[in-house]
Amino acid sequence: MYCVRNVTDDLYWVGANDHRLALFENIFPIPRGVSYNAYLLLDEKTVLFDTVDWSACRQLLENVEHLLDGRTLDYLVVNHMEPDHGASVEEILLRYPSVKVISTEKAFMFMRQFGFDIDGHELIEVKEGDTQSFGRHVVTFVAAPMVHWPEAMVTFDTTNGVLFSADAFGSFGALDGKLFADEVNFDRDWIDDARRYLTNIVGKYGPHVQMLLKKAAGILDQIKFICPLHGPVWRKDLMYFIDKYDHWSRYEPEEKGVMIAYASMYGNTEAAAQALAGKLCEKGVSNVWLYDVSNTHVSQLISETFRLSHIVLASVTYNLGIYPVMHNYLMDMKALNLQNRTFAIIENGSWAVKSGDLMQKFIDEELKNMTVLNERLSMASALLPDKAAELGALADAIVESVNQ
Ligand code: FEO
């Protein structure tokens, strides 16, 4: 059965929702599912913007066939060739052999690399600023390299103000009938998954997102809809989401607040994290969030690290090094280019307490534009009452820094 929704009078969402995929990119948990968005324009010419993951291809085909209602498909615009969107391209070519494919040089290269038989079809290679008319609608193609692959582009429909934004402005989470961001409580129910999606998938490429945002700023008054490849479509309050993207891609925190990420083997380092949290709240800083790095997926840790201004790393010493899960979290921060945070350190160990110095060295040498507070809580095995002054000094230093 087809399942489509109108975006505007002659533009339709023809994508699909996926609740069966456990791990997006086989790495990121998606307990709320994900949507693969594709859009069909019915103008003098019929135009499909992107396709879907192979697992959702049948739904896409039913949706497109229903709306075409006997017409043929004239154009396929491929903004992004990662397989969660491009895997069904070849099937569209088989079903609609006369379709003209519009995409970038690199995207056509990827299609061939993936083994798609495209060369018997009409391929229209476009680059920054090229335009195409489909009848009433005229679109402009805008390069968006590394948002999130090098071939990516976005397409702007100058007739109705629709920006087909590819991976930009996407989110984890299945739509389940609710197509528009204003049909859900986005700030309550979606923002965490949107942040987790962007920061983990495209976090490394903040400068490239900034370049795209600058291009969008030039036509901001003309953008009426943002149609991403995942998650809700935006038609109201666009600046709310654009502002979030601006913060994330500049590596600036959204909020002043403290994340305490702890690695604890027997509960003693966790007890120190809890004691610090209590002290911070007592001293008036209550935007405090505790995460056990062993039980929290690193993508969630990364998302929260992008959200908050201050990060406390509390780690046991393990094999004379940083606890492996904590080390993995730090490595992910480096991989995703996270910057501009203030850190504090709690270290623990029963004979050779090394984790504090090693975490400090990692932050100093491997991460960019970070500050580490001088105060450190160092403990041997457990936090005993003789450490109350050290704990208090650490809490005072964090509070002072948060309140700056
Ligand atoms: Fe949703 Fe980069 O693909």
Side-chain angles (χ1 to χ4, degrees):
M1 175 65 184
Y2 61 84
C3 177
V4 302
R5 279 201 61 184
N6 260 107
V7 178
T8 63
D9 53 345
D10 52 3
L11 179 69
Y12 298 81
W13 177 85
V14 291
N17 293 294
D18 188 346
H19 280 283
R20 290 193 295 170
L21 185 72
L23 297 174
F24 186 82
E25 292 186 352
N26 211 11
I27 187 168
F28 302 111
I30 43 170
R32 295 175 57 245
V34 69
S35 73
Y36 311 113
N37 298 341
Y39 304 91
L40 184 69
L41 179 69
L42 300 179
D43 198 350
E44 287 171 25
K45 301 294 183 185
T46 59
V47 189
L48 178 62
F49 293 91
D50 291 293
T51 70
V52 295
D53 187 81
W54 183 245
S55 63
C57 184
R58 186 179 174 86
Q59 184 68 63
L60 171 76
L61 294 172
E62 285 185 43
N63 292 345
V64 170
E65 189 180 344
H66 163 68
L67 288 171
L68 287 176
D69 194 22
R71 296 176 70 183
T72 191
L73 183 65
D74 297 307
Y75 290 94
L76 168 62
V77 175
V78 178
N79 286 303
H80 185 22
M81 239 328 274
E82 190 169 8
D84 54 332
H85 312 291
S88 301
V89 164
E90 193 177 44
E91 188 63 25
I92 291 291
L93 299 185
L94 290 168
R95 302 275 178 139
Y96 303 98
S98 64
V99 70
K100 300 177 178 67
V101 188
I102 301 176
S103 199
T104 61
E105 180 187 10
K106 276 202 175 74
F108 288 127
M109 180 188 80
F110 286 154
M111 288 177 211
R112 294 185 186 100
Q113 282 184 195
F114 281 112
F116 292 179
D117 183 11
I118 60 171
D119 287 312
H121 298 268
E122 186 169 341
L123 309 179
I124 302 172
E125 193 178 296
V126 291
K127 53 188 184 317
E128 175 88 13
D130 287 354
T131 62
Q132 177 80 41
S133 172
F134 300 124
R136 195 168 70 85
H137 292 262
V138 177
V139 301
T140 303
F141 304 103
V142 179
M146 303 321 297
V147 186
H148 128 242
W149 277 18
E151 90 300 356
M153 67 174 184
V154 302
T155 302
F156 183 59
D157 185 332
T158 54
T159 306
N160 59 6
V162 170
L163 177 66
F164 298 96
S165 62
D167 270 349
F169 304 107
S171 176
F172 293 141
L175 294 168
D176 298 344
K178 301 172 285 284
L179 177 61
F180 296 101
D182 55 89
E183 293 176 323
V184 300
N185 188 332
F186 197 90
D187 199 53
R188 186 190 67 191
D189 299 334
W190 280 80
I191 189 64
D192 287 341
D193 261 340
R195 183 189 307 104
R196 192 164 64 88
Y197 164 82
L198 186 275
T199 57
N200 284 277
I201 305 282
V202 196
K204 178 180 172 62
Y205 303 113
H208 296 83
V209 175
Q210 279 289 309
M211 278 169 53
L212 184 59
L213 290 176
K214 284 194 175 67
K215 290 181 187 178
I219 53 165
L220 209 51
D221 57 332
Q222 300 169 53
I223 300 175
K224 305 300 177 203
F225 295 83
I226 297 177
C227 291
L229 288 175
H230 301 286
V233 168
W234 290 79
R235 62 183 173 185
K236 292 181 184 169
D237 206 8
L238 306 188
M239 283 314 297
Y240 161 86
F241 208 31
I242 291 172
D243 181 62
K244 296 289 187 193
Y245 260 67
D246 186 44
H247 277 82
W248 299 333
S249 56
R250 283 188 296 111
Y251 306 104
E252 292 295 338
E254 286 167 68
E255 299 171 26
K256 289 224 169 191
V258 183
M259 171 182 178
I260 305 177
Y262 63 85
S264 187
M265 292 168 65
Y266 297 104
N268 292 297
T269 306
E270 178 180 4
Q274 291 285 358
L276 176 64
K279 284 278 174 219
L280 292 172
C281 292
E282 200 171 80
K283 294 171 185 291
V285 172
S286 57
N287 193 16
V288 174
W289 301 82
L290 260 71
Y291 292 97
D292 179 347
V293 296
S294 296
N295 293 323
T296 310
H297 193 269
V298 69
S299 66
Q300 173 72 6
L301 297 174
I302 287 294
S303 178
E304 287 295 83
T305 312
F306 269 76
R307 179 170 72 94
L308 295 162
S309 59
H310 288 67
I311 318 298
V312 179
L313 302 176
S315 181
V316 292
T317 303
Y318 197 86
N319 287 333
L320 295 183
I322 304 169
Y323 195 63
V325 192
M326 180 67 85
H327 190 243
N328 182 52
Y329 166 45
L330 284 163
M331 292 290 286
D332 231 21
M333 282 189 221
K334 178 185 175 186
L336 295 169
N337 203 20
L338 185 73
Q339 303 172 38
N340 306 321
R341 295 299 184 275
T342 299
F343 284 88
I345 287 173
I346 297 176
E347 62 178 351
N348 194 3
S350 288
W351 59 100
V353 184
K354 295 278 188 191
S355 56
D357 283 349
L358 292 170
M359 291 191 292
Q360 171 108 35
K361 183 172 157 58
F362 191 99
I363 296 165
D364 289 344
E365 296 180 4
E366 306 288 343
L367 305 180
K368 291 182 227 160
N369 303 325
M370 301 298 198
T371 303
V372 183
L373 298 177
N374 290 328
E375 291 75 6
R376 181 191 295 184
L377 177 59
S378 185
M379 53 201 250
S381 299
L383 186 65
L384 301 181
D386 64 344
K387 290 286 182 181
E390 222 172 288
L391 175 69
L394 180 65
D396 285 340
I398 294 170
V399 168
E400 186 184 342
S401 176
V402 168
N403 289 334
Q404 266 176 6

